Every structure is written in structure tokens, then in C-alpha cells.
Amino acid sequence: MAAGRGARLLRPPTSSGRATFLELFFDLAFVVALTRVSQRFAGLGDDTGWTLVLGFGRTLLLFLALWLIWSHTAWITSRYEPEQPVIQAVVVGTMFAGLIMAVTLPRALEERALPFTAAYLMVMVVRPLVVAAALHGHPRRMVPIRLAVWALASAPLWLAGALGPDDLRLPLWVAAIAVDYVAWALGWPLPWLGASNVGRWRIAGRHLADRYQQMFLIALGESILVIGVVFSGADYSVGRAAAFAVAFATSALLWRIYFYCTGLLLNDALGRVAMPARLGAASERTHLLIVLSVLSTAVGYELVIDQPFGQPRPSWLLFVVGGPMLFLVARVRLEYEIFGRVSRSHLIGLAALLLFTPALAHWAPMAGLSVVAGALALVALLDAFWKWGRPTEGPASPIGGRTSDGGDSEA
């Protein structure tokens, strides 16, 4: 009987594959969070050498913590029925914790470390226990229990970093986030129980694809917000207007390259494979890189619009060129996940950026952004040219198999 009550929490096969309004509402907290991440990255514009590397790593750490909260939530609503009151309460509670993390993020490695940690651990420890209790005696309850046990294992590192000396905070938190990510990659193994076979979980694949696409659009929206805010707040000049236009064109090209054939077929690919969770796990890591690349590119927009013809600063290339290069690398990975191959156009775009990077270190920032836009335009044009007149290609993912067999080692 307990297992029967817990089964009500599971997503039925007839459940809609679209994200609910509650999930879209939940994403609003992460709009704030991504804005704060972008602002922290932008603050590194004048740094060089080890200071730049350290600052980038500190912000990346905070982004990874936020991403883990968001991606776990996407998986929860893909495995459980989001219309159930318990799942709705979990999503709303996570949204509040995510908002706390967002507002404390600018000083999360300084005096606001404790509230940031408390909000993170509230989600990582308490949320899976709530889900496990709601599942009653259902076999699937072991999955959230695994999550809670591993979160408790990393919690002392998080708390020691928040409460201990400032100079130990970063290494302790790096160790803590490493534990959380490695645990997920290994399937949260426990003594005598072994690891959970995440690849065989039963999920709503199309729903998970929808959530990844939405997060990409949120990141892209953040880049548009940066373009508008920076340009509206700066003194008008022809150079800044040109940088504003090129930045917008770059964001439009990122959208085009992501969705052209590959990103558009992510839903179909996750809906067809035998084990959508295996493809979903691979795609989750790919979209982590994609979102990070868009945020980094947006920081490049801010720097260039502010000083389009200022003195060349090699450190700016980390954002102006590094962001788009990371995007192309992640897009190559996504294409392989869906089609089992790699397009020459993306490799050509990467080669072009690598070829120009040494020279861009000595050119004005506007030149760097223009070269990036040109390389992305070349990728988009080559994609369209090589597919012109050819029949529409369907997904043929090498990850997760082709036909659904309904297998699920975790129920």
C-alpha cells in the first residue's frame, strides 16, 4: 500500500512533455542568479595573470553550485509529476533557496558565505529527504536517499568553508563541489548497495530536453539584457553603437547555431532513445558548458561596448573570444550526442578563432568582437550551404540506443 501511495508521485506516460508554468516561474530565480554570475565575471575585466585565473575560478565555483541546484530540479520534474502538491512545494522551496543564493552570490566567498551555504545545503540535503518521504515504500525512494547521504558527506566541507578562516574557504568549497559532482557522475554509490544506474532511470526525455533549451534561452536572454543595459548606461558614440549592433548579431548567431537542426532535434532524440536518462545525463554536461559559454560571451559584450576602441587587453580575450570558442566546442559535443557525428563547419569556426587569437591580443576590443561575429556567421552560412536541398536529417544518437524498451533499474 505504501508503494502504491508513492507511485502517485511518478510521472505517468500520458504526462505532458512541456514544462509547467511553475517551472517557468522557478526559472525566474535563476535569471537573477545568472545576472549575478555575469556581474562577477565582468568585475574581472581589469585583472591579469594569476589574479584573473583565481577570480574566474571563484566565480566558476559559484556557478557550478547554482547549476547543480537547477539541473537536479529539472531531473526531479522529469521523473516525478510536477502537478503533485509535494513536487510543487519542492520546486517553490528550491526557488526560494536559489533566490537566496543569487542575492548572496556577489559576496558569497566573503561575508555572505554562511547564508549561501545554508541555502545550498537546504536544497541538497532536505529536498531529497522530502521526496523520499513522499515516495513512502516505493523502490524509487532509494535514489533521493542516496542523494541525501552524499550531500551530508560534503556538508562538513561546505560548512567548514563558510565558518572557518577566509583563506581556507576556496579550497574547502572546491573539494565540496568536487564531491557533489563526482557523486552524481558515479551514481551516488553506497556500501552494500553499489551505485545507481542513472542511465536506466525512467524520465520524461522530451520534458528534460525542453528544460535544457529553456535554460539556454535564459542565458541568451541574459546576454541581451547585458547589451541593452550597458549601451543605455554609457555615453553615446558611434563606436559604442557599432559594438552594440555586433554584440546583438553575435547573440543572434549563437541562437541560430544552437537550434539549427541539432538543438531543435534534442526533444526528438531524447524521446526516441531506449535509455533517455543516459543521453539526458550527457546532454546536461553539454548544456552546462553552453550556458557558461553564453555568460562568458555576454561579459565580453559588456567590456567591448564600454570601451570599443580602448587599449587592447589580452585578458579580455578570455571572454570576448574564449566564450564563443567554448560555445562551439559544446555545440560540437551536442551534435555528436544527437547525430553521432561532427560538422566540419564548427571545426572551421574554431580553427578561425584560434588562428586570429594571437593577433587579437594586440587589436582594439571592437576588432576582437567583430572577428568572433564573422567566425560565427561563417559557421552558420556553411551549415546552411551544406544542408541546402538535402532531406531533413533525423536524430541517430549513439548514446542510449535507438528504440525504447522501457528498462529501468531504479523503477
Side-chain angles (χ1 to χ4, degrees):
M1 181 65 70
R5 291 199 302 271
R8 299 172 188 167
L9 218 62
L10 310 185
R11 256 189 183 268
T14 56
S15 180
S16 171
R18 305 297 298 178
T20 63
F21 289 118
L22 176 60
E23 291 170 275
L24 298 177
F25 179 53
F26 166 79
D27 285 344
L28 295 178
F30 284 83
V31 172
V32 179
L34 293 184
T35 301
R36 295 295 177 264
V37 171
S38 181
Q39 288 174 345
R40 278 193 68 110
F41 277 137
L44 304 174
D46 294 327
D47 294 340
T48 57
W50 175 246
T51 303
L52 175 63
V53 174
L54 183 61
F56 187 89
R58 288 160 64 92
T59 304
L60 178 61
L61 167 68
L62 301 176
F63 168 75
L64 290 175
L66 287 166
W67 179 263
L68 202 61
I69 296 296
W70 182 89
S71 58
H72 277 195
T73 306
W75 278 73
I76 286 174
T77 53
S78 291
R79 274 171 64 78
Y80 305 108
E81 178 53 63
E83 299 296 342
Q84 286 288 329
V86 172
I87 300 302
Q88 290 182 338
V90 163
V91 172
V92 172
T94 304
M95 179 182 179
F96 182 65
L99 191 59
I100 293 174
M101 293 174 68
V103 299
T104 57
L105 190 142
R107 304 291 296 174
L109 282 157
E110 290 80 25
E111 70 273 9
R112 293 186 177 181
L114 186 57
F116 182 90
T117 301
Y120 178 80
L121 292 179
M122 182 67 66
V123 176
M124 296 298 289
V125 177
V126 176
R127 180 174 68 179
L129 293 177
V130 171
V131 174
L135 286 168
H136 300 288
H138 195 279
R140 196 180 282 189
R141 75 188 185 284
M142 289 308 301
V143 171
I145 289 174
R146 290 172 183 274
L147 270 68
V149 170
W150 273 95
L152 285 170
S154 68
L157 292 171
W158 285 105
L159 290 171
L163 299 172
D166 291 349
D167 56 347
L168 292 180
R169 183 166 300 137
L170 182 61
L172 286 170
W173 280 12
V174 168
I177 200 70
V179 169
D180 290 339
Y181 271 88
V182 170
W184 188 7
L186 297 180
W188 302 278
L190 294 178
W192 299 288
L193 295 177
S196 174
N197 191 346
V198 177
R200 296 189 65 85
W201 284 4
R202 184 174 297 128
I203 63 168
R206 295 182 187 275
H207 172 270
L208 193 60
D210 204 35
R211 298 297 288 132
Y212 291 156
Q213 291 167 340
Q214 288 164 357
M215 180 48 72
F216 167 70
L217 288 174
I218 287 172
L220 210 57
E222 163 62 18
S223 74
I224 298 297
L225 178 64
V226 167
I227 293 170
V229 170
V230 175
F231 184 60
S232 64
D235 293 335
Y236 177 81
S237 70
V238 174
R240 287 191 174 121
F244 169 79
V246 175
F248 175 80
T250 302
S251 285
L253 287 165
L254 294 178
W255 166 83
R256 166 70 177 180
I257 292 170
Y258 173 87
F259 279 108
Y260 188 69
C261 295
T262 301
L264 199 61
L265 291 176
L266 181 60
N267 302 66
D268 199 14
L270 275 165
R272 287 188 183 187
V273 293
M275 291 181 287
R278 181 177 295 176
L279 176 56
S283 186
E284 179 274 332
R285 300 180 188 104
T286 300
H287 281 82
L288 184 157
L289 297 177
I290 289 175
V291 171
L292 179 62
S293 70
V294 174
L295 291 180
S296 300
T297 304
V299 174
Y301 298 159
E302 181 171 351
L303 298 174
V304 176
I305 293 174
D306 186 51
Q307 299 182 44
F309 296 103
Q311 289 295 319
R313 300 186 184 183
S315 61
W316 288 18
L317 296 180
L318 177 65
F319 303 106
V320 177
V321 181
M325 288 180 66
L326 180 60
F327 174 82
L328 289 176
V329 169
R331 178 56 172 72
V332 165
R333 177 184 162 112
L334 181 63
E335 186 164 30
Y336 176 79
E337 290 167 357
I338 294 179
F339 296 112
R341 58 162 174 76
V342 174
S343 288
R344 290 170 293 169
S345 59
H346 298 79
L347 299 180
I348 291 173
L350 276 170
L353 290 177
L354 284 171
L355 181 65
F356 276 97
T357 296
L360 293 178
H362 306 285
W363 294 357
M366 181 65 185
L369 186 59
S370 299
V371 168
V372 165
L376 294 177
L378 177 64
V379 171
L381 289 172
L382 289 176
D383 271 345
F385 175 76
W386 283 331
K387 291 182 175 65
W388 180 265
R390 296 184 179 181
T392 303
E393 185 179 9
S397 176
I399 304 173
R402 298 288 183 86
T403 57
S404 180
D405 60 8
D408 190 341
S409 64
E410 292 285 355

